[in-house]
Amino acid sequence: MDSLVESLSQSFTVVPPTAVPAMLDCVVASTGLSHMSLFSSFLSAFPNLSKDFIKDQTHLELHQCNFLASFVSALCHILKKLGANRNALKSFIWKCFIPLTKMVHSYDVELLNQIAESFFNVVTETNTWEVVEETVVPFFLQSVGHYIGMVENEQIAVYEWSSHTILQSSSGQMNEFEIETQLYDSCPLAISCHVLSFVLSTALRTQQEAQATSKSTLKNGCFDAQKFVGNIMWDLSIMTVRMLSDSLENRSCAISFLLPCIFSSLAFRSFELSVHGKEYKFSRKFFFREIWRCCSMLLSHGPLERRDAYAILSLFFSFTQGCEDVCLSDISEEFDIRQEKEFWDEMKRGLVDKEGLVRKQTLYILRRMLHLVEGNKFCSGISAKLSNGKSSIPSGMTRRGLWAEREAESMGLEKICSSVDRCLNAQQRWESFILLYEILEEYGTHLVEAAWTHQITLLLQSLQAPINSTSERAYEGQTKDLEDIFDWLPILWERGFCHHNPQVRCFIMQSFLGIEWNNHGNCAKLVPDSFIFGPFMQGLNDPVHHKEFGVKGVYSSRTIKGAAKFLRQFASCLNLRTGVAFVRKLASVAKQQSFGRAGLMGLAESIASAACGVQKHNDCGEEWLENKLSDNGEDFLDVLRFIIECSKQHFNPNYRLRVCEKVMETAMCLVCSCDVPLEIVLHFVWAVPQEFTNHGGSLRERMQEWLSGCGKKLCGATFCSTEKLVLVSLYDFPERFISHQCSVHFITYDDEDLDAWAFEAKRWARVLFLLINDEHHVEPILMFIQHHGNSICKQKNLFEAMPLKFLILITSIIRELQIMQERSHSRETTVILEKFAVTFLLTIEELVSFANLSCSIFWSRVVMDDPKLPNSIRGKLGGPSQRRLSSSFTTAVLKAIISTKTVASVLSCCAHFKSDVLDTAFTSLWKFCLKIVSSPTCYNETEAEIFLAAYEALAPVLKTLVSTFSPLALKIIAANSELVLLNAESRSLLDSLVLSFLENINNLLAAGAMVRTRRAILMKWKWLCLECLLSIPDHALKNGVPLHGDDFFFSDAAVRCIFSDLIENLENAGEESVLSMLRSLRLLLEMFYSEKLVSAVSSCFGMDTQMMWQLVRSAWIVHVSCNKRRIAPIAALLSSVLHSSVFGDEGMHVTDNAPGPLKWFVEKILEEGTKSPRTIRLAAMHLTGLWLSNPKTIKYYMKELKLLSLYGSVAFDEDFEAELSDNHDAKNEVSLLEKSLDPELTEAFINTELYARVSVAVLFYKLKDLAKSVLPENNNGHCLAALESGKMYLLELLDSAVHDKDLSKELYKKYSGIHRRKIRAWQMLCVLSQFIDEDIVNKVAPSLHICLYRNNLPAVRQYLETFAIHLYLNFPSLVRAYLFIISGLVFWV
């Protein structure tokens, strides 16, 4: 027997399962063996036969699968021969079937199906379902329960599937140990679910066959198949509901295996069953109610859960014949999904889901709910409403429109005729909706263009015709009312706005904005707010809709105008309260979404338009008083401020101005300045760029109107009362400001506190001077200044922070006064300035006394080896550098710094007055400076920090003293220098001051008492102070302060000492110090060479080459380490190193036939400029100006000129212009570069990649004008150098056009880099053609003819021929010599 079993088993690997029964019958007939003995032998041999190829296998091979299928087929055939042998079947189940299901992997579906089919064929033919019910069903239910962590519930479960129950049912028939082994090792979840679904589907099929033969029971009538199906479905449904609420794997198994068989079982009938004595009616609707609860829970979670929920719903509706089938049950079980609002809401969400599968499933569910068959995808039933004849194509229709009409005709959507009844019923509206949705799922544009306009027009035109509710089914009520329709139309618009095809997005957007809402009644207000705040704003932010945005300085587009028009109409349909709330929600979208340039402009214009719509529709002051919502006004104004802040991310000032205009328009419509707390108003006004609200600014008048209340019709107060209320709040601010947080006699504060107070004071001062338009408005402020200024020393002992806050207010006021003085010259401005100056004069003496008292901290020698630093300093990592002082010392030095800074500001404001009080104050400040400069070195960190604070206070004082330099200052300086130079014949007045300053501050830096970050701060103040000291000669000259006799400001030795210190520190300069260092360097160079400052330096011999080499090398190192996006340092570097006084020295350009220091530096700068567009533009501006002033030097820079002529890079750089307008340092440094050769062209091209080439072209155009002035009797060196340089560059560039590797190529792509460089070269040669003269024409002509012979694209050829024509017109004799070439040229022309 063993040999027979072994040989048969070997044959199973090659014999197909269908041939196994015949083979076994032959074996039994020939050997005479009984079927039972053969069955027992096979079962006994199965473990040994299977373990070899199952062990360590992750995937069964083909021959292994065939073996298992044939082996099971053999056993099943024998079981059929044995008949209804329950013991044999149970043995097969426990020893073969269940172990096999554990061996087979879930992806071996075909093998599993073969095994299960063979087994259940035996069960069906032998009618042994009771065995399945006792063994297979409980075992696999237990496996599923084990995996999902479900405990058997005896009260609601039909089958008892605990291990104990299964053992009891099989006791006495098999070895209990074998059964326990199988129960202990559960089957995988997917396999268990698969088997159970197979059991259910097979039993259901058996039941249906029995019903077809009019039998309710099988064969012997002892087994009720319907009851079995109902029982197993009941338990499976309980597990399914549990699995749907579990993990992704459990949910996936339920959806893949269990739900399809349950839904198919319930598709046509319900089941009545008894569970532990209780009667239940199990119907599709009963089960779907539980399923919908699970789906509701899943839909409220993440995208994976939502995807599964839609899959479950679509699976359910795929087993229904219609929506009516859902309700086939008695009234007591009534559950109608169509009455669930949540269901329709989820359908709407699913239709606009980002995942395509979810959208398709939702559309499928909707179709099944609406009885819309998917036969003809793009055919709508509304074609009956359209004309049957082909309409003629109107004349003037574009080709695109023609194709759209033809496509519409092919879809059954002919052109709408005026005589057709356009009233659609609910069914037709749904058909139209589905049609439009389906075409939006396609990528192409032809279907959208063909059907969209027709269908949307029909839908909108049918809105005015109400539907008879008695003739419509319940589910169609979703489109019965206007509100319902406008719940679904936004789905189509949203899908269009986020379509993958940009052309479709544009088409849908223009279609939406092109709707004439006035022709459709009052329907605009029915568009949901959620659609406007969400999809519509997102669509408006799409750059594809704004292709013309920013062109020619127009920051608008057709889409923005359309959106503004729609929102104006929408807002005008709302009542006042609702309209105001709508505008505020619309503005809050700015904080919820990230907007681009065009999107932010569209949002700002939409908000303004909606606000105007609300105001225009509700133009009634009394209603405003009843409905104004002042509590939300703060948030609304804060959102408007946020929009202005967002516009600052985009650098174009015109763009920012446009956004601010729209924001101001909104504020003037809906916000009254007196209804909002002053702090919110101050923040809002401060957000607007100051250049727009200063005198002469574009928004100054609007801002003044809004603050005064005269620009708002719906204001709760009159113009006069609003202005008065705001002014009163502004007048009250100073008292509240200085008394805030002063409840104790002594408080400490740090730099962060000072910054916060200064920021608050600046905001207040700015708004104050916006409202001040009359001299009487300043009287309360003047009284406040005079009162507190004259008693500031008394306040010092009362409240520590009050004097400091008062000084901060004074500084803020003076800052606004200086801006007013610079930008306005009206009589009112002059009167206001005089009043403030007079008031300051009355308080200056007290302020100086307070400053002297405060500065005593600088002179007290404090020794503290271990200062107690605040925890915020000791434990801080990163961030700005903080003072390493105790809180009390920090408070003291800050008071000294602010007091001296305020005195300096007041003196600069009153400097034009002649008063003994002012002289005393100036003398006090000069003494302060001399005392600080002569301070000895300290070696303690606390004292070092105090001296650092002293130098910080010195910088603004020096700036004021130098800018107001007067004979009194000269007298004080001379008196100081006399102490050092008593017997000298000539005096260098500033030598002792500057050299002492450098010596002491350098000693402080070298002492090592400060940490690295604090030394960097000290370096910043060092160079700022030095810059002020070096600018004294220049300001003395401007202010008309002459020197006496042989006096000088500086000696040559002192200047060279300063220069050496500068060069030594320039390489390691930080970004905060580099600008002041370069300015100091520029001042030194001016002293060396300027004829205006002859009294500045005694016996100065200028700079030699060695000094210049030191300078350029250090300057290049600092430039490499600096930020290339900052304009001011780059411009300062160019104007200081490439100084006009040095550039004319040819020895600086070439030394011993090698590049000199200036040429070396220019080469480096232009090489770096190829990576930094800003650097090369500024270098081109400065160098072309220097070359025009010094044409003799051009011959050294042929290579550099060629680089500039062929340069091309970033097309546009808006933030370049923005930095010039916003950054005072950048604007000032650029103005100090060599004057632009053509200001008009500079303004047009400075932001573009063309500027370098344009500047070179203008240079040679100007050089030609200069060369024309050369006459035989007037041998002007500059004019001859200009002519020679033009000829030299012409020959150099022409030679490159002939021999350069790129410029000489004939095969190149259009718009490639080579193509563009060739165009640039010949453009420049056309400019240089005016330099062709008799002495070089014989060199130019041959090179030109070589280029004419070559193949070039037309864009290059046109400039080449232009150059040739210019040559032959000026030298006609060349025509005969090159006649053949000319004939070819004529042919080309």
Side-chain angles (χ1 to χ4, degrees):
M1 179 67 73
D2 293 339
S3 60
L4 177 63
V5 170
E6 183 178 356
S7 64
L8 286 175
S9 300
Q10 291 176 356
S11 66
F12 288 158
T13 59
V14 293
V15 177
T18 55
V20 168
M23 182 182 70
L24 285 179
D25 290 341
C26 294
V27 170
V28 171
S30 60
T31 59
L33 293 173
S34 66
H35 288 90
M36 191 63 195
S37 61
L38 189 60
F39 176 77
S40 299
S41 299
F42 275 135
L43 277 184
S44 300
F46 176 71
N48 294 326
L49 293 174
S50 60
K51 67 179 181 180
D52 294 335
F53 59 85
I54 293 298
K55 185 179 180 181
D56 298 330
Q57 291 288 331
T58 58
H59 184 71
L60 296 177
E61 300 295 336
L62 181 61
H63 69 280
Q64 295 171 340
C65 292
N66 191 75
F67 168 80
L68 292 176
S70 298
F71 187 84
V72 171
S73 178
L75 289 174
C76 290
H77 178 69
I78 296 174
L79 285 172
K80 290 179 183 179
K81 294 295 183 179
L82 294 174
N85 191 330
R86 295 170 57 91
N87 292 334
L89 185 60
K90 285 186 177 181
S91 297
F92 170 76
I93 291 172
W94 290 112
K95 293 183 178 182
C96 181
F97 180 73
I98 291 178
L100 270 178
T101 56
K102 298 177 182 179
M103 296 177 186
V104 177
H105 294 281
S106 59
Y107 44 76
D108 291 327
V109 179
E110 184 177 355
L111 175 60
L112 185 62
N113 287 338
Q114 287 181 347
I115 295 172
E117 188 176 358
S118 299
F119 169 67
F120 285 107
N121 281 339
V122 174
V123 173
T124 303
E125 290 188 16
T126 59
N127 192 22
T128 51
W129 285 99
E130 295 91 344
V131 177
V132 173
E133 195 172 17
E134 293 174 2
T135 56
V136 174
V137 172
F139 173 78
F140 286 104
L141 286 176
Q142 184 198 42
S143 296
V144 174
H146 171 74
Y147 269 93
I148 66 175
M150 183 176 178
V151 181
E152 177 187 352
N153 191 331
E154 297 180 358
Q155 296 181 353
I156 62 173
V158 176
Y159 293 104
E160 298 179 2
W161 40 264
S162 65
S163 300
H164 177 70
T165 305
I166 298 174
L167 283 172
Q168 282 185 340
S169 64
S170 302
S171 63
Q173 301 168 353
M174 287 187 58
N175 187 347
E176 292 188 5
F177 176 75
E178 294 180 356
I179 300 176
E180 283 189 26
T181 303
Q182 299 297 337
L183 292 175
Y184 179 77
D185 187 14
S186 298
C187 191
L189 179 63
I191 299 296
S192 301
C193 293
H194 195 162
V195 173
L196 288 171
S197 66
F198 211 100
V199 171
L200 179 58
S201 59
T202 306
L204 183 64
R205 185 172 63 251
T206 303
Q207 178 196 6
Q208 291 172 348
E209 292 174 356
Q211 291 176 346
T213 57
S214 302
K215 297 179 181 179
S216 59
T217 59
L218 300 178
K219 293 184 179 179
N220 55 10
C222 63
F223 180 72
D224 190 347
Q226 181 175 354
K227 181 180 178 182
F228 175 72
V229 171
N231 289 343
I232 193 172
M233 272 205 305
W234 177 266
D235 279 10
L236 286 181
S237 66
I238 295 173
M239 285 190 166
T240 301
V241 171
R242 171 67 180 271
M243 292 170 70
L244 293 179
S245 305
D246 279 351
S247 64
L248 177 63
E249 180 186 1
N250 296 351
R251 208 162 50 241
S252 177
C253 289
I255 296 172
S256 302
F257 300 112
L258 301 183
L259 283 179
C261 63
I262 295 176
F263 286 154
S264 62
S265 302
L266 295 173
F268 302 100
R269 63 178 304 169
S270 58
F271 297 86
E272 295 181 358
L273 65 157
S274 176
V275 181
H276 301 292
K278 291 185 179 181
E279 300 294 328
Y280 292 94
K281 184 174 183 180
F282 187 50
S283 64
R284 177 172 55 189
K285 194 171 65 169
F286 174 83
F287 182 58
F288 183 61
R289 179 166 52 194
E290 302 301 321
I291 292 297
W292 170 242
R293 290 174 184 169
C294 294
C295 291
S296 299
M297 180 187 65
L298 292 175
L299 289 168
S300 62
H301 289 76
L304 294 178
E305 289 79 2
R306 288 180 54 81
R307 182 197 305 168
D308 288 341
Y310 285 108
I312 294 168
L313 292 174
S314 62
L315 184 64
F316 171 78
F317 284 102
S318 66
F319 286 96
T320 61
Q321 297 298 320
C323 195
E324 293 83 2
D325 295 336
V326 182
C327 304
L328 292 178
S329 60
D330 58 355
I331 302 299
S332 62
E333 294 183 1
E334 186 171 354
F335 171 72
D336 193 350
I337 189 66
R338 297 159 303 185
Q339 304 300 327
E340 298 288 329
K341 183 179 181 300
E342 183 184 358
F343 171 76
W344 293 105
D345 291 340
E346 291 300 336
M347 290 299 100
K348 296 170 187 174
R349 291 178 61 188
L351 289 173
V352 295
D353 196 273
K354 293 181 179 180
E355 192 170 346
L357 178 61
V358 173
R359 295 198 303 271
K360 290 180 180 179
Q361 290 172 338
T362 308
L363 183 63
Y364 176 80
I365 296 169
L366 197 60
R367 276 184 168 278
R368 301 293 296 190
M369 289 287 292
L370 302 174
H371 298 285
L372 298 178
V373 186
E374 295 185 85
N376 187 1
K377 188 175 182 181
F378 296 113
C379 184
S380 174
I382 65 166
S383 57
K385 294 288 181 182
L386 304 175
S387 82
N388 295 323
K390 290 186 178 181
S391 58
S392 60
I393 303 301
S395 59
M397 178 175 285
T398 62
R399 181 177 299 179
R400 193 183 190 117
L402 177 63
W403 281 108
E405 285 296 329
R406 290 181 179 176
E407 190 71 37
E409 291 177 4
S410 69
M411 297 168 61
L413 303 171
E414 293 88 355
K415 193 174 179 180
I416 301 172
C417 298
S418 58
S419 59
V420 175
D421 178 18
R422 300 183 181 89
C423 177
L424 301 180
N425 57 34
Q427 177 75 8
Q428 291 169 334
R429 288 176 178 174
W430 275 119
E431 290 176 352
S432 180
F433 174 85
I434 296 296
L435 169 66
L436 292 176
Y437 187 87
E438 285 182 335
I439 64 175
L440 287 175
E441 289 296 305
E442 304 293 327
Y443 183 80
T445 60
H446 61 291
L447 294 175
V448 178
E449 293 173 347
W452 182 269
T453 304
H454 297 81
Q455 301 295 284
I456 286 292
T457 303
L458 277 176
L459 284 173
L460 292 176
Q461 288 178 344
S462 66
L463 296 179
Q464 302 174 6
I467 296 177
N468 185 1
S469 59
T470 60
S471 63
E472 301 295 338
R473 285 175 282 190
Y475 71 90
E476 293 169 344
Q478 286 291 321
T479 59
K480 182 175 66 175
D481 299 327
L482 293 180
E483 292 81 358
D484 296 329
I485 295 174
F486 274 95
D487 281 342
W488 292 93
L489 278 179
I491 294 175
L492 298 175
W493 289 323
E494 181 174 352
R495 287 293 305 130
F497 293 162
C498 63
H499 200 276
H500 292 302
N501 191 332
Q503 295 182 11
V504 174
R505 297 203 299 271
C506 290
F507 181 85
I508 301 301
M509 177 62 78
Q510 294 307 321
S511 170
F512 174 77
L513 297 178
I515 297 174
E516 293 293 339
W517 296 100
N518 295 330
N519 299 335
H520 301 291
N522 203 24
C523 293
K525 69 177 182 180
L526 298 177
V527 178
D529 293 356
S530 58
F531 166 74
I532 296 176
F533 302 146
F536 182 64
M537 286 295 111
Q538 291 173 2
L540 192 62
N541 192 33
D542 190 347
V544 76
H545 302 305
H546 312 284
K547 293 180 180 178
E548 70 273 29
F549 185 85
V551 177
K552 297 181 179 180
V554 178
Y555 294 97
S556 185
S557 66
R558 177 186 174 190
T559 302
I560 291 176
K561 293 177 182 177
K565 178 184 176 182
F566 162 70
L567 289 172
R568 189 185 186 97
Q569 291 176 331
F570 181 88
S572 64
C573 298
L574 307 175
N575 60 50
L576 183 58
R577 179 177 289 273
T578 307
V580 171
F582 169 78
V583 175
R584 289 174 176 173
K585 288 182 181 178
L586 181 63
S588 66
V589 174
K591 290 188 174 182
Q592 300 166 5
Q593 300 181 23
S594 178
F595 285 88
R597 282 209 322 164
L600 185 65
M601 178 60 73
L603 176 64
E605 194 156 340
S606 298
I607 296 170
S609 183
C612 292
V614 172
Q615 184 191 47
K616 182 179 179 180
H617 186 67
N618 302 280
D619 196 3
C620 176
E622 295 181 0
E623 187 181 355
W624 171 262
L625 288 174
E626 296 175 1
N627 293 280
K628 66 177 181 178
L629 307 174
S630 57
D631 1 341
N632 295 330
E634 303 176 25
D635 297 335
F636 182 51
L637 201 61
D638 185 65
V639 171
L640 295 181
R641 178 196 59 78
F642 179 79
I643 294 175
I644 295 176
E645 295 289 352
C646 290
S647 70
K648 295 179 181 179
Q649 300 174 5
H650 309 288
F651 302 104
N652 189 285
N654 295 327
Y655 169 84
R656 287 183 285 181
L657 173 61
R658 178 73 174 168
V659 173
C660 292
E661 286 176 347
K662 293 302 174 182
V663 171
M664 284 305 305
E665 188 176 340
T666 305
M668 292 176 71
C669 288
L670 295 182
V671 181
C672 186
S673 57
C674 64
D675 294 336
V676 182
L678 179 64
E679 186 64 22
I680 303 298
V681 174
L682 298 182
H683 276 85
F684 174 73
V685 176
W686 183 262
V688 180
Q690 189 164 7
E691 62 267 22
F692 298 156
T693 57
N694 283 338
H695 286 273
S698 305
L699 296 179
R700 184 174 181 83
E701 292 185 2
R702 289 193 183 187
M703 184 65 76
Q704 288 175 331
E705 289 177 3
W706 177 70
L707 291 172
S708 303
C710 60
K712 186 172 181 300
K713 297 179 181 179
L714 302 180
C715 189
T718 62
F719 160 53
C720 295
S721 60
T722 299
E723 184 181 25
K724 183 178 180 181
L725 287 172
V726 176
L727 276 174
V728 168
S729 299
L730 291 172
Y731 293 153
D732 293 340
F733 175 85
E735 288 289 350
R736 289 187 285 106
F737 175 72
I738 65 174
S739 60
H740 183 57
Q741 291 182 346
C742 292
S743 57
V744 294
H745 291 295
F746 183 81
I747 63 170
T748 58
Y749 39 82
D750 55 17
D751 291 86
E752 291 183 0
D753 296 325
L754 249 64
D755 292 339
W757 295 339
F759 190 41
E760 192 174 358
K762 288 176 183 178
R763 294 197 301 265
W764 166 78
R766 183 171 169 188
V767 177
L768 175 68
F769 282 90
L770 272 171
L771 274 179
I772 289 177
N773 51 25
D774 189 88
E775 56 183 288
H776 301 294
H777 289 162
V778 301
E779 294 297 336
I781 303 299
L782 297 178
M783 292 175 61
F784 168 81
I785 294 174
Q786 188 171 352
H787 171 70
H788 287 277
N790 289 328
S791 59
I792 188 171
C793 291
K794 299 176 183 177
Q795 293 175 352
K796 175 181 179 296
N797 297 323
L798 183 59
F799 296 127
E800 194 68 23
M802 286 183 65
L804 197 66
K805 288 188 173 183
F806 172 75
L807 296 177
I808 290 173
L809 281 175
I810 297 298
T811 306
S812 302
I813 291 173
I814 293 175
R815 177 177 175 271
E816 292 296 328
L817 289 173
Q818 290 171 345
I819 295 174
M820 179 187 294
Q821 187 176 11
E822 292 173 1
R823 301 179 65 95
S824 176
H825 305 286
S826 63
R827 177 186 171 278
E828 292 80 5
T829 300
T830 305
V831 172
I832 292 173
L833 290 173
E834 291 295 329
K835 281 182 171 289
F836 273 102
V838 170
T839 304
F840 288 145
L841 280 175
L842 298 175
T843 60
I844 187 64
E845 191 173 356
E846 190 75 10
L847 293 176
V848 171
S849 300
F850 180 79
N852 290 333
L853 290 173
S854 301
C855 290
S856 60
I857 184 67
F858 297 146
W859 328 128
S860 58
R861 301 291 294 179
V862 179
V863 178
M864 186 177 293
D865 297 331
D866 187 19
K868 186 178 180 181
L869 299 178
N871 294 330
S872 60
I873 298 175
R874 286 184 294 177
K876 185 176 181 182
L877 295 175
S881 176
Q882 292 186 337
R883 303 180 194 278
R884 298 182 61 81
L885 292 170
S886 62
S887 299
S888 58
F889 278 122
T890 300
T891 301
V893 298
L894 286 176
K895 189 192 306 178
I897 293 170
I898 294 300
S899 61
T900 54
K901 183 178 178 180
T902 304
V903 171
S905 300
V906 171
L907 288 179
S908 65
C909 184
C910 305
H912 60 284
F913 283 93
K914 301 297 181 183
S915 170
D916 294 338
V917 176
L918 284 180
D919 291 344
T920 304
F922 275 115
T923 303
S924 177
L925 285 185
W926 273 111
K927 290 181 179 179
F928 168 79
C929 294
L930 296 174
K931 197 170 183 179
I932 292 292
V933 167
S934 60
S935 298
T937 305
C938 60
Y939 299 94
N940 177 275
E941 183 180 26
T942 301
E943 290 187 349
E945 280 287 341
I946 292 175
F947 275 107
L948 189 156
Y951 286 114
E952 182 180 348
L954 179 64
V957 170
L958 275 178
K959 185 177 180 181
T960 298
L961 293 178
V962 170
S963 62
T964 59
F965 197 80
S966 63
L968 175 64
L970 185 63
K971 182 179 179 181
I972 297 173
I973 293 175
N976 178 69
S977 62
E978 286 178 359
L979 299 175
V980 182
L981 304 170
L982 294 175
N983 301 319
E985 296 180 0
S986 61
R987 298 180 301 173
S988 299
L989 301 180
L990 293 177
D991 278 10
S992 61
L993 178 63
V994 175
L995 295 178
S996 177
F997 167 77
L998 287 177
E999 181 183 3
N1000 289 329
I1001 201 168
N1002 287 338
N1003 290 338
L1004 182 60
L1005 287 166
M1010 292 187 292
V1011 296
R1012 182 179 58 84
T1013 55
R1014 301 307 294 165
R1015 289 200 303 270
I1017 299 297
L1018 181 59
M1019 290 286 287
K1020 179 182 76 170
W1021 299 121
K1022 169 188 174 180
W1023 300 116
L1024 285 173
C1025 293
L1026 183 63
E1027 179 190 349
C1028 293
L1029 292 173
L1030 293 177
S1031 62
I1032 288 178
D1034 187 38
H1035 283 92
L1037 179 63
K1038 291 179 180 178
N1039 297 338
V1041 181
L1043 292 178
H1044 302 287
D1046 296 329
D1047 291 345
F1048 296 91
F1049 284 111
F1050 295 100
S1051 65
D1052 182 66
V1055 172
R1056 293 182 183 277
C1057 178
I1058 298 170
F1059 179 82
S1060 298
D1061 190 68
L1062 262 171
I1063 298 303
E1064 182 181 346
N1065 290 277
L1066 188 59
E1067 295 181 5
N1068 300 317
E1071 289 200 4
E1072 292 185 339
S1073 304
V1074 66
L1075 193 57
S1076 55
M1077 293 179 74
L1078 292 172
R1079 287 171 176 167
S1080 301
L1081 181 61
R1082 186 170 58 225
L1083 290 169
L1084 287 176
L1085 292 176
E1086 289 176 356
M1087 291 182 194
F1088 279 137
Y1089 293 98
S1090 177
E1091 296 179 357
K1092 296 180 180 179
L1093 298 175
V1094 291
S1095 60
V1097 182
S1098 65
S1099 63
C1100 183
F1101 300 101
M1103 293 184 65
D1104 56 22
T1105 307
Q1106 184 180 1
M1107 293 173 64
M1108 184 54 71
W1109 271 116
Q1110 294 175 354
L1111 170 59
V1112 296
R1113 288 195 175 103
S1114 299
W1116 173 246
I1117 291 174
V1118 74
H1119 173 70
V1120 170
S1121 61
C1122 278
N1123 186 351
K1124 305 303 183 297
R1125 300 290 295 171
R1126 296 178 61 188
I1127 295 176
I1130 300 173
L1133 179 79
L1134 294 171
S1135 62
S1136 57
V1137 178
L1138 301 176
H1139 199 272
S1140 56
S1141 59
V1142 187
F1143 202 82
D1145 186 355
E1146 294 189 49
M1148 296 293 182
H1149 302 279
V1150 175
T1151 305
D1152 298 331
N1153 295 324
L1158 291 186
K1159 180 172 174 58
W1160 179 87
F1161 184 76
V1162 171
E1163 288 176 352
K1164 290 288 187 180
I1165 282 290
L1166 293 183
E1167 181 183 355
E1168 177 69 23
T1170 57
K1171 308 170 189 175
S1172 171
R1174 292 188 174 185
T1175 301
I1176 204 165
R1177 290 174 201 170
L1178 293 171
M1181 176 191 293
H1182 188 59
L1183 285 172
T1184 50
L1186 290 173
W1187 284 328
L1188 183 61
S1189 303
N1190 305 276
K1192 292 181 180 180
T1193 62
I1194 297 178
K1195 59 187 176 184
Y1196 304 118
Y1197 294 97
M1198 293 294 110
K1199 177 183 174 182
E1200 288 70 28
L1201 283 167
K1202 188 163 57 175
L1203 187 150
L1204 291 173
S1205 300
L1206 302 180
Y1207 173 78
S1209 181
V1210 181
F1212 201 71
D1213 186 14
E1214 285 187 336
D1215 54 343
F1216 181 88
E1217 183 180 354
E1219 188 171 349
L1220 285 180
S1221 61
D1222 295 346
N1223 192 322
H1224 176 75
D1225 287 333
K1227 188 174 183 180
N1228 184 54
E1229 292 301 326
V1230 170
S1231 67
L1232 293 176
L1233 295 176
E1234 284 298 306
K1235 300 302 179 185
S1236 172
L1237 304 181
D1238 192 318
E1240 185 177 354
L1241 288 177
T1242 297
E1243 183 179 358
F1245 293 105
I1246 188 63
N1247 289 337
T1248 70
E1249 53 96 16
L1250 294 171
Y1251 182 71
R1253 308 197 295 273
V1254 169
S1255 59
V1256 174
V1258 174
L1259 167 66
F1260 283 98
Y1261 182 81
K1262 298 286 186 182
L1263 287 174
K1264 182 57 181 176
D1265 290 343
L1266 182 61
K1268 289 178 181 178
S1269 61
V1270 176
L1271 298 174
E1273 64 275 7
N1274 181 20
N1275 189 10
N1276 190 310
H1278 271 38
C1279 300
L1280 289 175
L1283 181 61
E1284 291 301 321
S1285 62
K1287 294 178 182 179
M1288 184 182 298
Y1289 185 52
L1290 169 63
L1291 294 175
E1292 177 72 20
L1293 191 57
L1294 189 58
D1295 182 71
S1296 296
V1298 176
H1299 299 105
D1300 185 79
K1301 180 180 178 181
D1302 290 338
L1303 297 179
S1304 61
K1305 278 188 177 180
E1306 297 186 62
L1307 295 177
Y1308 52 90
K1309 291 183 178 180
K1310 192 176 183 180
Y1311 303 127
S1312 64
I1314 295 175
H1315 182 210
R1316 293 195 297 268
R1317 295 185 75 228
K1318 287 171 78 75
I1319 291 175
R1320 295 165 191 162
W1322 283 103
Q1323 284 175 338
M1324 189 59 63
L1325 284 168
C1326 288
V1327 175
L1328 294 169
S1329 62
Q1330 56 188 335
F1331 286 96
I1332 301 175
D1333 208 347
E1334 293 287 350
D1335 55 343
I1336 65 169
V1337 68
N1338 291 328
K1339 298 179 182 179
V1340 173
S1343 299
L1344 172 64
H1345 300 145
I1346 292 173
C1347 297
L1348 287 172
Y1349 270 121
R1350 289 174 177 165
N1351 292 322
N1352 279 296
L1353 293 175
V1356 178
R1357 188 83 186 178
Q1358 63 174 336
Y1359 293 110
L1360 198 156
E1361 292 170 357
T1362 301
F1363 182 85
I1365 291 169
H1366 187 274
L1367 174 67
Y1368 292 127
L1369 287 176
N1370 287 286
F1371 300 94
S1373 60
L1374 296 175
V1375 175
R1376 182 180 298 276
Y1378 299 97
L1379 182 61
F1380 178 74
I1381 297 295
I1382 295 301
S1383 62
L1385 179 60
V1386 171
F1387 171 77
W1388 273 94
V1389 174

